[in-house]
């Protein structure tokens, strides 16, 4: 076995494989929920529902336990299934292992407020409410702000807690999984922008009476 193969094998441990599988199962559950809840929605809205279901599942089932573990002890000293998952992610970002105050503060807000907001937005899309895009903008801004505050302080200090020395930790754990919460909120913000634009010009049509 070559040196590169040995390094890859050591990185792709059974634990990392189980963690990635768990993320895949969450996505599969989100897909099933989106298809059932959005049966009467457009195809575009079903894709949005897929993301929102996945977003809510992650906030509630992964980040919720992280907050609890961080408040009662630390991930590093905990011994359960979810702690093992966070220990695996902690190989890429050590702050999640030791109850970093900035991380825990952001996650408290994320679990309590953003997770609930995602659930309400799912309801809003299904029921086609007038406040759907207001909630969508609020949720996306919260997600983007959370991502910024998670990493900007670390970057300003020279990223001492981040391990970018191997492809799994850097490209999958840090770039891919965190990047999802940047790219998709930006796309949803653009969707809301065009929705409001269309609504504005609809109101400006000649002969349109304002109520």
């Amino acid at each position: 076995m070559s040196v590169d193969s040995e390094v890859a094998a050591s990185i792709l441990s059974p634990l990392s494989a189980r963690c990635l599988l768990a993320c895949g199962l969450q996505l599969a559950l989100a897909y099933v929920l989106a298809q059932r809840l959005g049966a009467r929605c457009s195809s575009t809205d079903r894709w949005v529902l897929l993301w929102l279901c996945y977003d809510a599942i992650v906030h509630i089932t992964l980040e919720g336990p992280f907050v609890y573990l961080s408040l009662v002890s630390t991930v590093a000293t905990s011994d359960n299934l979810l702690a093992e998952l966070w220990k695996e992610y902690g190989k890429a970002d050590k702050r999640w292992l030791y109850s970093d105050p900035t991380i825990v503060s952001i996650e408290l807000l994320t679990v309590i407020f953003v997770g609930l907001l995602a659930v309400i937005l799912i309801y809003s899309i299904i029921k086609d409410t007038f406040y759907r895009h207001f909630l969508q903008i609020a949720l996306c801004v919260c997600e983007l702000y959370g991502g910024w505050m998670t990493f900007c302080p670390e970057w300003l200090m020279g990223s001492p807690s981040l391990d970018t020395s191997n492809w799994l930790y850097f490209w999958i754990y840090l770039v891919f999984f965190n990047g999802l919460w940047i790219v998709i909120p930006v796309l949803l913000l653009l969707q809301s922008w065009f929705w409001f634009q269309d609504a504005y010009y609809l109101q400006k049509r000649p002969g349109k009476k304002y109520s």
Side-chain angles (χ1 to χ4, degrees):
M1 181 180 291
S2 66
V3 173
D4 289 342
S5 298
E6 291 177 354
V7 171
S10 65
I11 295 172
L12 287 171
S13 65
L15 177 58
S16 63
R18 288 195 297 270
C19 291
L20 294 174
L21 176 61
C23 293
L25 292 175
Q26 288 180 318
L27 181 60
L29 175 59
Y31 178 82
V32 172
L33 288 174
Q35 293 302 307
R36 290 180 64 87
L37 295 174
R40 297 183 180 180
C41 298
S42 67
S43 59
T44 298
D45 279 347
R46 283 198 296 272
W47 282 109
V48 176
L49 286 171
L50 169 60
W51 165 251
L52 292 173
C53 288
Y54 181 68
D55 186 43
I57 289 169
V58 169
H59 289 329
I60 295 169
T61 66
L62 284 184
E63 294 172 332
F66 165 79
V67 169
Y68 173 77
L69 293 174
S70 298
L71 291 177
V72 300
S73 58
T74 66
V75 167
T77 57
S78 300
D79 185 20
N80 58 64
L81 183 61
L82 287 171
E84 292 304 311
L85 188 150
W86 283 111
K87 287 177 183 178
E88 177 65 19
Y89 182 78
K91 295 175 182 177
D93 188 343
K94 293 184 291 186
R95 295 174 297 168
W96 297 78
L97 296 174
Y98 302 108
S99 302
D100 177 87
T102 300
I103 296 295
V104 177
S105 298
I106 293 170
E107 290 303 314
L108 269 170
L109 183 63
T110 299
V111 171
I112 295 172
F113 179 70
V114 180
L116 177 61
L117 192 57
V119 172
I120 297 174
L121 181 53
I122 290 170
Y123 171 84
S124 179
I125 293 174
I126 295 169
K127 297 299 183 180
D128 193 24
T129 67
F130 69 91
Y131 52 82
R132 175 260 178 91
H133 283 281
F134 172 79
L135 293 180
Q136 186 163 301
I137 290 172
L139 176 65
C140 292
V141 170
C142 288
E143 299 285 15
L144 292 171
Y145 181 75
W148 176 260
M149 290 307 299
T150 296
F151 287 101
C152 185
E154 182 70 9
W155 292 334
L156 292 174
M157 294 188 295
S159 304
S161 299
L162 305 183
D163 184 353
T164 60
S165 62
N166 64 69
W167 66 270
L168 179 65
Y169 300 160
F170 180 67
W171 289 109
I172 305 300
Y173 293 176
L174 294 175
V175 175
F176 176 73
F177 281 114
N178 289 286
L180 286 176
W181 271 265
I182 297 173
V183 174
I184 296 179
V186 168
L187 293 176
L188 293 181
L189 282 175
L190 287 174
Q191 183 193 41
S192 294
W193 169 274
F194 288 119
W195 185 88
F196 279 115
Q197 183 184 66
D198 291 343
Y200 172 78
Y201 285 117
L202 181 62
Q203 289 290 327
K204 300 291 284 185
R205 285 181 178 176
K208 178 69 178 179
K209 293 182 179 180
Y210 294 90
S211 57

